[in-house]
Amino acid sequence: MAQFNLETAQSPPLVEGSRHALPEALRQGAPVGPRLVGGTSFTGKSAIDLAQIQILAQACLQGLDAARQVVFGWQRQGQSLEDIYMQGITPCARLLGDWWCADRLDFAMTTIASAHLQQLLHDFSSEFLQETPTQRQPWSLLLLTEPGAQHSMGLFMLSEFFKRAGWLVTVGVPQDVTEFKRLFQSDWFDAVGISVSSDRHLDTLAALLPKLREGSDNLGLHVFVGGPMAFVAPERLQGLAAEVLAEDAPATVARITQAMPGAAARSR
């Protein structure tokens, strides 16, 4: 598993007696989140910092309702959902990964907390898509994890940003190579994005992608790869028949959109 560093992370609660290690607000079930500064004025609101990210991580360990209260608190502070996704939820997922790699969480706790984090994206999906509505685009996108991937939160978040930009998006989490091929060939797509989180299937993808591209009905199909491997070991992805992108979700959407035929004319 790739390890992400987020400065020096505080230890999360231990498995036994973990409830007593949580912040008082969480133990009492009270709403948690950043306090408003300057009354109800959101002018010059500060970015979500590491301490607040740790609060969200610990809330995810307690339960989904506690995690929601953190997000509600950030919204009351004036943060947009895009701010919350990029400055809060994304680094929180990395922090949970750090804690797991450092043996501060076991697999079960990490899985539960990550599931709560991903559920937040589903819960706020409609509101996020309406935050900055965009006209419908003529392009379709398939987003896939590598075969047998255990985590798909980053892919789902990326799909939300593409949907908000007007793309028609299909998301697939194939369990094996056969299903990966079936999904790739299931329809006409203008672009295909693949999230690679490990090196388990790099050789398979290197051999498979050229064949899938050649067999596609769209001769101009744009294929790109991203995910954790693109950030920690991008050189390992250079052998794939795809563009390697190590960028956040908004930047990825902008780059792929600009690469589409007729994008320049539509932006005028």
mmCIF file of all heavy atoms in Angstrom, residues 2-4 196-199 202 225-240 244-246:
data_model
loop_
_atom_site.group_PDB
_atom_site.id
_atom_site.type_symbol
_atom_site.label_atom_id
_atom_site.label_comp_id
_atom_site.label_asym_id
_atom_site.label_seq_id
_atom_site.Cartn_x
_atom_site.Cartn_y
_atom_site.Cartn_z
ATOM 1 N N ALA A 2 0.529 2.197 -0.849
ATOM 2 C CA ALA A 2 1.305 3.433 -0.920
ATOM 3 C C ALA A 2 1.105 4.228 0.353
ATOM 4 O O ALA A 2 0.023 4.296 0.911
ATOM 5 C CB ALA A 2 0.863 4.254 -2.126
ATOM 6 N N GLN A 3 2.162 4.847 0.812
ATOM 7 C CA GLN A 3 2.087 5.653 2.032
ATOM 8 C C GLN A 3 2.184 7.117 1.672
ATOM 9 O O GLN A 3 3.015 7.535 0.882
ATOM 10 C CB GLN A 3 3.217 5.275 2.989
ATOM 11 C CG GLN A 3 3.177 6.060 4.291
ATOM 12 C CD GLN A 3 4.165 5.553 5.296
ATOM 13 O OE1 GLN A 3 4.810 4.539 5.067
ATOM 14 N NE2 GLN A 3 4.301 6.242 6.403
ATOM 15 N N PHE A 4 1.295 7.899 2.254
ATOM 16 C CA PHE A 4 1.275 9.330 2.020
ATOM 17 C C PHE A 4 1.659 10.024 3.316
ATOM 18 O O PHE A 4 1.195 9.659 4.386
ATOM 19 C CB PHE A 4 -0.118 9.798 1.583
ATOM 20 C CG PHE A 4 -0.564 9.200 0.288
ATOM 21 C CD1 PHE A 4 -1.201 7.972 0.262
ATOM 22 C CD2 PHE A 4 -0.332 9.849 -0.909
ATOM 23 C CE1 PHE A 4 -1.609 7.418 -0.936
ATOM 24 C CE2 PHE A 4 -0.744 9.312 -2.104
ATOM 25 C CZ PHE A 4 -1.381 8.086 -2.115
ATOM 26 N N VAL A 196 -4.788 3.505 -10.713
ATOM 27 C CA VAL A 196 -3.845 2.427 -10.381
ATOM 28 C C VAL A 196 -3.300 2.697 -8.981
ATOM 29 O O VAL A 196 -2.640 3.706 -8.742
ATOM 30 C CB VAL A 196 -2.696 2.363 -11.400
ATOM 31 C CG1 VAL A 196 -1.749 1.203 -11.057
ATOM 32 C CG2 VAL A 196 -3.248 2.190 -12.818
ATOM 33 N N SER A 197 -3.587 1.783 -8.063
ATOM 34 C CA SER A 197 -3.171 1.985 -6.677
ATOM 35 C C SER A 197 -2.033 1.067 -6.247
ATOM 36 O O SER A 197 -1.487 1.228 -5.154
ATOM 37 C CB SER A 197 -4.362 1.773 -5.735
ATOM 38 O OG SER A 197 -4.902 0.482 -5.905
ATOM 39 N N SER A 198 -1.664 0.101 -7.090
ATOM 40 C CA SER A 198 -0.593 -0.834 -6.746
ATOM 41 C C SER A 198 0.106 -1.273 -8.026
ATOM 42 O O SER A 198 -0.300 -0.914 -9.137
ATOM 43 C CB SER A 198 -1.151 -2.054 -6.009
ATOM 44 O OG SER A 198 -1.895 -2.878 -6.904
ATOM 45 N N ASP A 199 1.163 -2.075 -7.857
ATOM 46 C CA ASP A 199 1.897 -2.558 -9.035
ATOM 47 C C ASP A 199 1.499 -3.976 -9.430
ATOM 48 O O ASP A 199 2.135 -4.592 -10.267
ATOM 49 C CB ASP A 199 3.404 -2.503 -8.771
ATOM 50 C CG ASP A 199 3.817 -3.339 -7.565
ATOM 51 O OD1 ASP A 199 2.947 -3.986 -6.954
ATOM 52 O OD2 ASP A 199 5.020 -3.326 -7.229
ATOM 53 N N LEU A 202 0.432 -4.056 -13.311
ATOM 54 C CA LEU A 202 1.099 -3.193 -14.285
ATOM 55 C C LEU A 202 1.471 -3.943 -15.553
ATOM 56 O O LEU A 202 1.275 -3.435 -16.670
ATOM 57 C CB LEU A 202 2.345 -2.556 -13.657
ATOM 58 C CG LEU A 202 2.094 -1.500 -12.570
ATOM 59 C CD1 LEU A 202 3.409 -0.904 -12.097
ATOM 60 C CD2 LEU A 202 1.164 -0.401 -13.084
ATOM 61 N N VAL A 225 -4.156 7.435 -17.071
ATOM 62 C CA VAL A 225 -4.040 6.699 -15.816
ATOM 63 C C VAL A 225 -3.640 7.662 -14.710
ATOM 64 O O VAL A 225 -2.909 8.630 -14.925
ATOM 65 C CB VAL A 225 -3.013 5.543 -15.908
ATOM 66 C CG1 VAL A 225 -3.493 4.475 -16.868
ATOM 67 C CG2 VAL A 225 -1.641 6.062 -16.318
ATOM 68 N N GLY A 226 -4.162 7.392 -13.517
ATOM 69 C CA GLY A 226 -3.836 8.195 -12.346
ATOM 70 C C GLY A 226 -3.922 7.334 -11.106
ATOM 71 O O GLY A 226 -3.682 6.138 -11.156
ATOM 72 N N GLY A 227 -4.295 7.962 -9.994
ATOM 73 C CA GLY A 227 -4.377 7.212 -8.749
ATOM 74 C C GLY A 227 -3.086 7.295 -7.953
ATOM 75 O O GLY A 227 -2.141 7.996 -8.333
ATOM 76 N N PRO A 228 -3.004 6.572 -6.832
ATOM 77 C CA PRO A 228 -1.834 6.657 -5.952
ATOM 78 C C PRO A 228 -0.508 6.400 -6.645
ATOM 79 O O PRO A 228 0.486 7.078 -6.366
ATOM 80 C CB PRO A 228 -2.124 5.581 -4.889
ATOM 81 C CG PRO A 228 -3.615 5.522 -4.822
ATOM 82 C CD PRO A 228 -4.081 5.749 -6.234
ATOM 83 N N MET A 229 -0.451 5.440 -7.567
ATOM 84 C CA MET A 229 0.813 5.131 -8.237
ATOM 85 C C MET A 229 1.324 6.299 -9.059
ATOM 86 O O MET A 229 2.534 6.480 -9.220
ATOM 87 C CB MET A 229 0.663 3.898 -9.128
ATOM 88 C CG MET A 229 0.604 2.578 -8.387
ATOM 89 S SD MET A 229 2.187 2.113 -7.633
ATOM 90 C CE MET A 229 3.166 1.780 -9.100
ATOM 91 N N ALA A 230 0.412 7.109 -9.580
ATOM 92 C CA ALA A 230 0.821 8.260 -10.392
ATOM 93 C C ALA A 230 1.528 9.305 -9.546
ATOM 94 O O ALA A 230 2.321 10.098 -10.073
ATOM 95 C CB ALA A 230 -0.393 8.871 -11.083
ATOM 96 N N PHE A 231 1.261 9.308 -8.245
ATOM 97 C CA PHE A 231 1.883 10.276 -7.354
ATOM 98 C C PHE A 231 3.169 9.743 -6.733
ATOM 99 O O PHE A 231 4.145 10.484 -6.600
ATOM 100 C CB PHE A 231 0.904 10.673 -6.238
ATOM 101 C CG PHE A 231 -0.219 11.563 -6.694
ATOM 102 C CD1 PHE A 231 -1.411 11.023 -7.137
ATOM 103 C CD2 PHE A 231 -0.077 12.944 -6.701
ATOM 104 C CE1 PHE A 231 -2.445 11.832 -7.569
ATOM 105 C CE2 PHE A 231 -1.102 13.771 -7.128
ATOM 106 C CZ PHE A 231 -2.291 13.210 -7.564
ATOM 107 N N VAL A 232 3.169 8.470 -6.345
ATOM 108 C CA VAL A 232 4.331 7.944 -5.623
ATOM 109 C C VAL A 232 5.362 7.297 -6.538
ATOM 110 O O VAL A 232 6.544 7.242 -6.201
ATOM 111 C CB VAL A 232 3.899 6.939 -4.534
ATOM 112 C CG1 VAL A 232 2.975 7.602 -3.537
ATOM 113 C CG2 VAL A 232 3.223 5.716 -5.146
ATOM 114 N N ALA A 233 4.943 6.807 -7.713
ATOM 115 C CA ALA A 233 5.887 6.146 -8.623
ATOM 116 C C ALA A 233 5.433 6.309 -10.066
ATOM 117 O O ALA A 233 5.152 5.327 -10.759
ATOM 118 C CB ALA A 233 6.029 4.666 -8.267
ATOM 119 N N PRO A 234 5.349 7.553 -10.560
ATOM 120 C CA PRO A 234 4.838 7.778 -11.917
ATOM 121 C C PRO A 234 5.671 7.093 -12.991
ATOM 122 O O PRO A 234 5.145 6.734 -14.054
ATOM 123 C CB PRO A 234 4.877 9.301 -12.064
ATOM 124 C CG PRO A 234 5.864 9.764 -11.037
ATOM 125 C CD PRO A 234 5.737 8.810 -9.899
ATOM 126 N N GLU A 235 6.963 6.892 -12.705
ATOM 127 C CA GLU A 235 7.816 6.238 -13.709
ATOM 128 C C GLU A 235 7.373 4.806 -13.972
ATOM 129 O O GLU A 235 7.615 4.260 -15.055
ATOM 130 C CB GLU A 235 9.276 6.271 -13.245
ATOM 131 C CG GLU A 235 9.618 5.383 -12.054
ATOM 132 C CD GLU A 235 9.202 5.982 -10.713
ATOM 133 O OE1 GLU A 235 8.703 7.136 -10.712
ATOM 134 O OE2 GLU A 235 9.387 5.302 -9.685
ATOM 135 N N ARG A 236 6.706 4.182 -13.005
ATOM 136 C CA ARG A 236 6.241 2.813 -13.175
ATOM 137 C C ARG A 236 5.083 2.730 -14.163
ATOM 138 O O ARG A 236 4.758 1.643 -14.661
ATOM 139 C CB ARG A 236 5.797 2.225 -11.832
ATOM 140 C CG ARG A 236 6.883 2.160 -10.748
ATOM 141 C CD ARG A 236 7.925 1.113 -11.077
ATOM 142 N NE ARG A 236 7.359 -0.206 -11.264
ATOM 143 C CZ ARG A 236 7.046 -1.054 -10.280
ATOM 144 N NH1 ARG A 236 7.229 -0.678 -9.022
ATOM 145 N NH2 ARG A 236 6.558 -2.237 -10.555
ATOM 146 N N LEU A 237 4.451 3.851 -14.445
ATOM 147 C CA LEU A 237 3.295 3.873 -15.343
ATOM 148 C C LEU A 237 3.652 4.293 -16.767
ATOM 149 O O LEU A 237 2.790 4.281 -17.642
ATOM 150 C CB LEU A 237 2.230 4.831 -14.795
ATOM 151 C CG LEU A 237 1.713 4.545 -13.377
ATOM 152 C CD1 LEU A 237 0.699 5.606 -12.966
ATOM 153 C CD2 LEU A 237 1.097 3.163 -13.289
ATOM 154 N N GLN A 238 4.907 4.650 -16.981
ATOM 155 C CA GLN A 238 5.299 5.167 -18.287
ATOM 156 C C GLN A 238 5.187 4.133 -19.392
ATOM 157 O O GLN A 238 5.060 4.473 -20.571
ATOM 158 C CB GLN A 238 6.732 5.712 -18.225
ATOM 159 C CG GLN A 238 6.909 6.915 -17.310
ATOM 160 C CD GLN A 238 6.035 8.097 -17.728
ATOM 161 O OE1 GLN A 238 5.783 8.323 -18.908
ATOM 162 N NE2 GLN A 238 5.564 8.854 -16.740
ATOM 163 N N GLY A 239 5.223 2.848 -19.035
ATOM 164 C CA GLY A 239 5.130 1.802 -20.045
ATOM 165 C C GLY A 239 3.723 1.502 -20.504
ATOM 166 O O GLY A 239 3.525 0.666 -21.403
ATOM 167 N N LEU A 240 2.728 2.157 -19.914
ATOM 168 C CA LEU A 240 1.342 1.926 -20.304
ATOM 169 C C LEU A 240 0.968 2.809 -21.489
ATOM 170 O O LEU A 240 1.476 3.915 -21.642
ATOM 171 C CB LEU A 240 0.404 2.228 -19.128
ATOM 172 C CG LEU A 240 0.676 1.468 -17.825
ATOM 173 C CD1 LEU A 240 -0.355 1.869 -16.772
ATOM 174 C CD2 LEU A 240 0.663 -0.035 -18.048
ATOM 175 N N VAL A 244 -0.149 9.711 -18.341
ATOM 176 C CA VAL A 244 -0.026 9.627 -16.893
ATOM 177 C C VAL A 244 -0.344 10.998 -16.298
ATOM 178 O O VAL A 244 0.293 11.998 -16.645
ATOM 179 C CB VAL A 244 1.383 9.177 -16.467
ATOM 180 C CG1 VAL A 244 1.486 9.127 -14.946
ATOM 181 C CG2 VAL A 244 1.720 7.824 -17.078
ATOM 182 N N LEU A 245 -1.322 11.038 -15.393
ATOM 183 C CA LEU A 245 -1.732 12.294 -14.771
ATOM 184 C C LEU A 245 -1.578 12.192 -13.262
ATOM 185 O O LEU A 245 -2.208 11.351 -12.621
ATOM 186 C CB LEU A 245 -3.189 12.617 -15.109
ATOM 187 C CG LEU A 245 -3.503 12.961 -16.567
ATOM 188 C CD1 LEU A 245 -4.983 13.286 -16.726
ATOM 189 C CD2 LEU A 245 -2.665 14.134 -17.040
ATOM 190 N N ALA A 246 -0.742 13.029 -12.708
ATOM 191 C CA ALA A 246 -0.570 13.106 -11.247
ATOM 192 C C ALA A 246 -1.072 14.467 -10.794
ATOM 193 O O ALA A 246 -0.307 15.316 -10.332
ATOM 194 C CB ALA A 246 0.890 12.895 -10.867
#
